[in-house]
Amino acid sequence: MNRILILAGLASLALCAWVLPLIVSDYVVRLLIMVCINIVLVGSMCLANGFTGVFSLGQVGFVAIGAYVSGILSLSLADKASYLPDLPMFLAHIEMATLPATLIAGLVCAAIAIVVGLPLMRLSGHHVSVATMGFMIIVNVVIINADSFTRGARTFTGVPTDMTLPWVVGWAVLAIFLLARLIYSPIGLALRSVREDVIAAQAVGLPVLGTRLLAFSFGAFLAGVGGSLYGHYLGSFSAQTFFFPLMVSLITMLVLGGMSSLSGVVTGVIVVTALSEMLRNLERGVHLGPVSIPPLFGASQVVLGLLFILVMIYRPRGLFEDREISSVFKRRKQRSNS
Amino acid sequence: MNSLEFTIQQIINAVSLGSLYAMVAVGLSMVFGILKMTNFAHGDMMMTGSYATVLLSALGVPFPIAIVAGIAVSALTGILAERIAYRPVRGAPDVTLLLTSLALTYVLENLAILIFSGSPRSFPTPDWMNEVFAFSDGAITFTSVDIISSTSAILSLLGLGWFVSHTTTGLGMRAAAEDMAAAALVGLDINRLIVIAFAIASGFAGLAGMLWAAQSGIIEPDMGFSPLLKAFVAAIVGGFGSIAGAVLGGYLLGALEILIVGFGPTELSPYRDAIVFALLIVFLLFRPGGIMQANREVKL
Amino acid sequence: MTDTPPLLTVRDLTVKYDAVVALDAISLGIRQGESVALIGANGAGKSTLLRTISGLIRPASGDISYNGQSIRQSSPQAILRGGIAHCPEGRRLFGALTVEENLRLGACTRDDAAAVRRDVERVEEMFPIIAERRKQAAGTLSGGEQQMVALARAMMSSPRLLMLDEPSLGVAPLVTKLIFAQLAEMKRSGTTILLVEQNVKLALALSDRAYVLRTGRIALEGEAHALADDPRVFHAYLGVNE
C-alpha cells in the first residue's frame, strides 16, 4: 500500500517535471530547478551537521570543488583551448557529458573528504566549526591561485548549461532517497548515537571516527554532485560564488526546517528559496501606482538574516525538530485513537 | 640587500600585523570565555566603527574625534548585538549560539550594503598617518600607521591586562569565565559583566578596524571577515578563552604570516591563508586546548 | 525562641529539571540565629534547595520568603545583598585567581572598604592558612585549604544567613574539625546557618534542628539531638522503607 503510494507520488512528480516547463514561465522553471539543486546541497549538509554532532561550516568548499571539477571535465575542447590553455594533457583532451562529470565530481569530493576528515572529524567542541570553515577558505585560496585549472579569480565560463527540470528533480529525489536509507538504517542509528553522546557511543563500541567520516564523506559526495548541478545551471561562476553568502543561505535553509529532519530540509529549501525570490523582486524596486519604492540592495538578505535569528531564538531546532512528516501523521493518528 | 636590515623590516611588519590580530582576538576570547560563544559577528564591529568614522569625518568632524566616536559606535554595536540577538539564546547549545552570530554577521553586512552600498569607500587617513620613515637607504621603511598600530595595540592591551587583574569588574569577568554559577553566587551581576565584556571586545575590534582601514586606505561591508578568521586562529592557538593567550596567538600568527611571505618561496605567498588554516587543523589535533590549555575538550 | 518569626520560610516549593521533579512541595522555616541541618542521601534534593534559595534555579511553584519578603523572583545578586550567602558544593573557587582575589570578589557587593578590610582580617584570624596563601592561585591549594577559602569567601559578604553545601567533602578530618569549630563560633556570634552535610553526626552536633530529605520530600524533621538517636534517619539514608 505504502509502496504504491510512493510510486504514484514519484510518477506524478516525474510527470510534473516533464510537463510543467511547457505550461509555466521560464522564470518559474528556473526557480524550481534552484529548489531541487538546493535540496541536494542542503541534504548534504543535513547529513554532516544534523546527524553527527560535528557542525561543519566547510560544506561549501565541497560545493566549489564539485562545480569546478565537473566544469573542467565537461568544458568543450575548443573552450578548453581558449580558456584553460595550461591544463595538463590528460584533462585537456577530455570532454565529458554532464552525468559522468557530475558523478566524478561527487567521488572526488568524497575522496577529499576522507583525507581532510581524518583530522577534522577527530576534533570536537567549539573549534571544529572554525576548522571546517578553514577548509572552505583553503579551497577558496587554492581555486583563486590554481590559475591553469580554474582561471584563478576570473570567471570560469563555458560550462554547458543543460540543467533541465526532470534532471534536477531526479537528483533531488535520489538524494533524499539515499539520505533516508542511510539515516533510518542501523548506520543512521549509529550516527545519531554519536551525535547525542560521544562518550556513551564509544563505550558501547561504536567507531566514532569511522561513523563521522562516513557521514562526512557521503555528505561531501552529495555536495560535490550538487555543486556540479549548480555549475551546470549557472554556466559561469567564480570562486566567490561558493563562499560565505552561499554558506549562510544554505545554513538558513537547513536550520529553518530543522537540521535533523529530511522533511525539514525540503521545507526549509522551499520556504527560503521562495521567500528570497519574493524579497529579491521587492528589492529591485516596486511601483504601486504613483508610489514607487526605490531599489534596496541587500534588503532581502537582511530580512532572511533576521528570520534566521528569530528561528534561533524561538525555534532553535527548526520547524520539524527531528521529526518527519510521516511520523507527524503517525502521532496524530495515535492521539486520535487514544 | 642587507639581510639584517631585511630581517628588521620583517620584524616591524610582523609586529604591526600581529598587533591587529591580537586586538581582534582578545575580544573573541573574552566573549568566548564568558559565553562559550564562537562569535562570528565580531568582525563586523570593525566595520561599523570604521563606517561611522568615515561618515563623521565627511561631516567635518576632526579626524581624532571621529576615530574615538567610531570606536564608541563599535562598542555600542557590540552591546546592541548582545541585547538583541545573543541574550535571548544565552545558555542554548553551542551550535545555536554560533549560528545566531553567523546570522547576525549576515544581517549587519547586508545592512551596510543597503545603507552604504557594497562598493569600497576610501578611508580618510590623514597625511600625518601616512608619513613614511626610511632608514638604511630605504631598506627599512615603515609608516606612522605602523607605529601607531603597534603602540596603540600594545598600550591598550597592557591596559586591558591591568583591568582584568586589578579591578573588581575585570576580576569578575575572569571569574565568570571560569565558573558562571559561582560568579553569580558571590553576587557578581552577570548581565552587567557580559555587557561590559561585549563593549570592551567590540571597542578593541573597532580600534583594530580603524588601523586596518588606515593601512589599506579603504573600507567595505565585509572588511571584518578576513581579519576575523585570522583572529579565530590566533585565539584558538592561544587557548580560546584566555586573554593573554589571544595576544600571544595574535603576534605568533603575525610572525608566521610574515615568515611565509618574507622568507618562504615566492610561490607560497598567495597560499598564505590556506597554509595558516591547514596548520591550525594540524595544531588542533595535537593541542586542542591551545598553547595555554585554557579548556580541555573531549578527545577522540 | 519559638515565637520569633522565621528568617527564611520555604512554602510548598517544587523544583523540576525538565520533567524530573527534584523538590516536591517542600516547606520549611529557619529562625534568626538558628542552625539547621539538611540531611539525606545523594539526589534527595538538598543542593537543589540551596541553589533555589540563592536564586540560581527558578522554582516551578511555591514561594521562598526572607525577612518577610518573597525572593522567589530575585536575582542571585539581590539575594546575596539581602544577606544570604551560599558556599557551594565542591567549593567552586575561581582557580585561576589568587586567594586574595577570591576574597575580594566575595565582597564585591559591599562598598564599605574599611569594614571589608576588617572582615579579611577576621577570616585570616579564623583560618591562618589564608594569610599564608594570599598571593597563590586558588586552584593550586589543597582540598582542605580550598574549603577554608570558600567558606571565607562566602563570609566576605557578611551574611545574616550562611548556607553551606557539604563543607566536609574531600577535606581531611583534621581540617573538617577546624572548619566545624569555626562554624560553631560563628553560630555563637549570631550567624544563622543552613547546613547540608553528608556526615550526619557532624551536622547534628552543630545544629539545633534538622530536616531529613528523601527523593525531594521532607521525610523527617525535629530537634537535632532527638534525630541523632532516631533509627529512621539511617533508613532515610539507605532508602529503606520504614
Side-chain angles (χ1 to χ4, degrees):
Chain A
M1 180 61 191
N2 223 339
R3 196 158 283 183
I4 295 169
L5 264 178
I6 290 171
L7 281 177
L10 282 178
S12 46
L13 202 63
L15 192 72
C16 285
W18 284 109
V19 175
L20 260 181
L22 305 174
I23 310 169
V24 296
S25 69
D26 267 7
Y27 170 70
V28 175
V29 174
R30 286 184 75 81
L31 216 57
L32 290 173
I33 291 178
M34 211 49 241
V35 165
C36 290
I37 295 174
N38 281 335
I39 285 176
V40 177
L41 292 177
V42 179
S44 85
M45 299 181 86
C46 164
L47 185 66
N49 293 343
F51 289 91
T52 59
V54 176
F55 199 90
S56 161
L57 295 176
Q59 210 70 4
V60 167
F62 292 115
V63 180
I65 295 173
Y68 273 94
V69 166
S70 170
I72 292 169
L73 290 174
S74 55
L75 211 61
S76 73
L77 290 180
D79 280 349
K80 259 183 201 146
S82 62
Y83 295 141
L84 304 167
D86 301 327
L87 215 54
M89 285 300 268
F90 75 101
L91 284 174
H93 297 291
I94 290 178
E95 184 183 337
M96 259 185 208
T98 303
L99 178 62
T102 300
L103 288 174
I104 290 175
L107 291 174
V108 168
C109 286
I112 293 174
I114 289 174
V115 176
V116 299
L118 272 173
L120 280 180
M121 292 296 112
R122 254 175 238 271
L123 305 175
S124 57
H126 306 289
H127 309 328
V128 70
S129 20
V130 176
T132 51
M133 192 154 180
F135 172 69
M136 182 180 87
I137 309 288
I138 293 172
V139 170
N140 190 262
V141 170
V142 170
I143 286 177
I144 289 175
N145 288 293
D147 247 49
S148 45
F149 292 89
T150 61
R151 288 169 55 80
R154 288 170 299 168
T155 306
F156 188 95
T157 190
V159 180
T161 48
D162 47 7
M163 277 302 118
T164 59
L165 194 56
W167 253 111
V168 292
V169 167
W171 275 111
V173 169
L174 185 67
I176 292 293
F177 173 75
L178 289 175
L179 285 171
R181 284 301 291 258
L182 188 66
I183 288 166
Y184 299 103
S185 70
I187 298 172
L189 186 64
L191 285 177
R192 269 168 286 162
S193 326
V194 170
R195 177 188 69 192
E196 295 302 329
D197 192 335
V198 172
I199 292 167
Q202 271 175 328
V204 297
L206 281 175
V208 172
L209 182 63
T211 318
R212 280 183 176 177
L213 256 185
L214 178 82
F216 189 62
S217 59
F218 186 65
F221 173 80
L222 279 183
V225 166
S228 165
L229 301 179
Y230 197 28
H232 284 273
Y233 165 75
L234 293 173
S236 47
F237 44 80
S238 74
Q240 293 316 109
T241 312
F242 310 99
F243 209 55
F244 190 68
L246 179 64
M247 178 188 99
V248 175
S249 77
L250 290 178
I251 290 179
T252 311
M253 297 176 195
L254 182 67
V255 298
L256 180 75
M259 57 182 126
S260 314
S261 156
L262 290 175
S263 315
V265 167
V266 177
T267 314
V269 167
I270 292 173
V271 170
V272 173
T273 311
L275 199 66
S276 55
E277 209 50 41
M278 268 161 51
L279 291 167
R280 204 163 296 159
N281 287 333
L282 286 178
E283 203 175 72
R284 291 194 190 104
V286 183
H287 301 278
L288 296 167
V291 188
S292 69
I293 301 167
L296 298 166
F297 297 108
S300 69
Q301 282 90 336
V302 172
V303 174
L304 275 185
L306 290 174
L307 174 75
F308 189 163
I309 295 178
L310 288 176
V311 170
M312 284 295 109
I313 294 174
Y314 294 105
R315 205 137 175 124
R317 295 179 64 210
L319 297 176
F320 282 82
E321 303 199 332
D322 52 5
R323 286 167 306 190
E324 300 290 353
I325 289 180
S326 53
S327 67
V328 173
F329 284 137
K330 266 179 215 154
R331 263 176 221 189
R332 245 181 231 153
K333 263 183 211 158
Q334 278 165 359
R335 249 178 236 151
S336 57
N337 288 346
S338 60
Chain B
M1 175 170 38
N2 188 319
S3 73
L4 175 70
E5 282 156 349
F6 180 72
T7 308
I8 292 174
Q9 175 73 59
Q10 298 308 324
I11 290 173
I12 293 172
N13 294 347
V15 170
S16 178
L17 187 62
S19 296
L20 289 172
Y21 290 158
M23 280 190 290
V24 184
V26 282
L28 284 176
S29 241
M30 279 174 87
V31 167
F32 180 83
I34 299 184
L35 289 180
K36 303 291 169 275
M37 180 173 82
T38 309
N39 183 8
F40 274 94
H42 187 61
D44 299 315
M45 307 307 147
M46 296 173 73
M47 179 268 293
T48 54
S50 303
Y51 269 91
T53 299
V54 168
L55 219 60
L56 286 173
S57 50
L59 291 173
V61 176
F63 191 70
I65 297 175
I67 287 270
V68 173
I71 293 170
V73 167
S74 290
L76 196 67
T77 325
I79 293 171
L80 285 176
E82 194 276 328
R83 252 294 147 76
I84 296 168
Y86 298 155
R87 195 171 292 186
V89 294
R90 196 187 293 168
D94 298 343
V95 172
T96 307
L97 300 180
L98 179 147
L99 291 176
T100 307
S101 75
L102 207 60
L104 187 67
T105 183
Y106 197 61
V107 170
L108 288 174
E109 282 178 24
N110 283 295
L111 215 52
I113 292 175
L114 187 65
I115 301 171
F116 304 107
S117 97
S119 40
R121 288 174 173 237
S122 65
F123 189 76
T125 318
D127 291 336
W128 54 267
M129 278 180 93
N130 280 329
E131 204 175 320
V132 178
F133 300 90
F135 295 94
S136 304
D137 299 328
I140 302 175
T141 58
F142 51 87
T143 61
S144 358
V145 176
D146 286 322
I147 305 175
I148 293 167
S149 7
S150 305
T151 45
S152 59
I154 291 165
L155 286 179
S156 59
L157 290 170
L158 285 175
L160 180 66
W162 180 86
F163 174 77
V164 297
S165 55
H166 286 87
T167 65
T168 306
T169 307
L171 289 172
M173 268 180 209
R174 285 164 62 202
E178 203 177 317
D179 189 335
M180 183 89 91
L185 278 186
V186 299
L188 289 163
D189 185 341
I190 303 293
N191 274 337
R192 183 174 152 269
L193 286 181
I194 290 174
V195 168
I196 293 173
F198 266 94
I200 294 175
S202 308
F204 264 92
L207 175 60
M210 299 307 162
L211 297 170
W212 193 274
Q215 286 190 347
S216 67
I218 55 158
I219 57 167
E220 45 196 334
D222 63 351
M223 62 182 270
F225 187 63
S226 163
L228 171 80
L229 293 175
K230 298 299 180 54
F232 269 130
V233 176
I236 290 174
V237 166
F240 219 168
S242 152
I243 291 171
V247 174
L248 183 64
Y251 282 104
L252 276 179
L253 184 63
L256 174 73
E257 285 196 17
I258 295 302
L259 212 59
I260 297 171
V261 176
F263 297 92
T266 32
E267 309 87 69
L268 274 186
S269 298
Y271 288 96
R272 176 167 81 166
D273 290 5
I275 295 169
V276 165
F277 277 99
L279 286 177
L280 170 73
I281 294 169
V282 174
F283 176 86
L284 280 177
L285 279 179
F286 293 103
R287 263 196 112 83
I291 296 174
M292 301 285 196
Q293 293 283 354
N295 54 330
R296 285 164 192 278
E297 307 270 352
V298 183
K299 225 181 151 188
L300 294 181
Chain C
M1 191 83 173
T2 22
D3 342 295
T4 44
L7 180 66
L8 181 87
T9 313
V10 172
R11 210 174 296 110
D12 294 326
L13 192 73
T14 298
V15 176
K16 291 178 184 168
Y17 294 114
D18 290 325
V20 182
V21 177
L23 290 178
D24 191 359
I26 292 242
S27 295
L28 53 82
I30 300 162
R31 286 184 295 272
Q32 171 76 47
E34 206 183 17
S35 177
V36 173
L38 278 175
I39 53 184
N42 275 331
K46 298 163 296 178
S47 296
T48 302
L49 180 59
L50 296 200
R51 292 165 67 81
T52 314
I53 294 172
S54 54
L56 286 179
I57 305 174
R58 293 273 168 249
S61 62
D63 196 24
I64 306 167
S65 62
Y66 171 72
N67 228 358
Q69 281 181 329
S70 172
I71 55 167
R72 105 168 244 199
Q73 299 291 344
S74 305
S75 69
Q77 194 197 23
I79 291 168
L80 188 90
R81 279 182 193 274
I84 304 181
H86 180 173
C87 181
E89 186 181 0
R91 307 178 280 271
R92 308 286 285 266
L93 291 179
F94 307 118
L97 271 51
T98 63
V99 168
E100 193 178 30
E101 288 165 343
N102 268 279
L103 295 185
R104 182 170 164 193
L105 288 180
C108 70
T109 50
R110 300 166 64 183
D111 35 33
D112 44 348
V116 170
R117 217 167 306 125
R118 268 200 307 282
D119 278 353
V120 172
E121 277 161 23
R122 194 177 120 218
V123 296
E124 283 179 348
E125 218 167 274
M126 285 169 69
F127 304 112
I129 196 81
I130 289 177
E132 276 171 48
R133 299 274 189 259
R134 192 183 296 166
K135 298 283 179 195
Q136 214 169 310
T140 63
L141 269 51
S142 76
E145 290 167 348
Q146 286 193 16
Q147 187 60 62
M148 288 186 261
V149 177
L151 178 58
R153 185 179 68 181
M155 287 167 60
M156 286 309 295
S157 65
S158 97
R160 273 175 84 183
L161 168 60
L162 178 62
M163 304 195 294
L164 297 140
D165 200 343
E166 306 278 8
S168 76
L169 199 72
V171 173
L174 215 63
V175 180
T176 306
K177 218 171 134 188
L178 173 64
I179 290 173
F180 273 79
Q182 293 298 343
L183 288 177
E185 190 53 47
M186 288 171 66
K187 185 192 163 198
R188 260 193 295 280
S189 61
T191 309
T192 312
I193 294 175
L194 177 57
L195 173 70
V196 165
E197 180 55 64
Q198 288 272 7
N199 188 329
V200 181
K201 228 170 122 187
L202 265 178
L204 295 181
L206 180 76
S207 307
D208 305 310
R209 290 188 305 118
Y211 293 89
V212 180
L213 252 64
R214 210 176 134 190
T215 56
R217 292 187 190 168
I218 292 173
L220 215 56
E221 58 174 292
E223 302 285 316
H225 58 83
L227 285 175
D229 304 320
D230 196 326
R232 286 178 299 171
V233 171
F234 294 94
H235 285 157
Y237 254 92
L238 296 170
V240 183
N241 283 314
E242 313 74 286

